[in-house]
Amino acid sequence: MSISLAEGVSLAETDSGAVLLDERSGRYWQLNGSGARVLQKLLAGAALAEAGAAAANGAKVPSDQAEQDVNTLLDKLHQAGLVRR
């Protein structure tokens, strides 16, 4: 899956995950470690399943659940105007 940050959105890693800044509105969005790993994998061109495995970070999460979680995060980021598909 190919996604990119929307124009005017920047990503900065933090100790606990990452922060997205929407420079158009001045709003910040914080991602926990799992969310940050998912977004970084997707921005690098990874498939949903691969991003889900990265989010699980070694935990025993069924692959279909991990992929569903990735889709949920991606939908929320898209609805907020932070990423483009």
Side-chain angles (χ1 to χ4, degrees), residues 8 20-29:
L20 291 164
L21 169 60
D22 184 344
E23 297 168 6
R24 302 162 298 184
S25 67
R27 292 186 68 189
Y28 286 90
W29 302 78

Side-chain angles (χ1 to χ4, degrees), residues 28-82:
Y28 286 90
W29 302 78
Q30 184 156 355
L31 298 174
N32 64 17
S34 295
R37 283 189 297 277
V38 166
L39 182 57
Q40 289 165 342
K41 285 287 190 182
L42 291 173
L43 289 171
L48 293 177
E50 184 181 351
N57 200 25
K60 293 187 177 189
V61 177
S63 61
D64 59 331
Q65 179 64 51
E67 193 168 328
Q68 181 179 346
D69 292 346
V70 170
N71 272 318
T72 299
L73 174 63
L74 187 55
D75 286 345
K76 288 181 180 184
L77 293 173
H78 187 259
Q79 289 172 0
L82 300 171

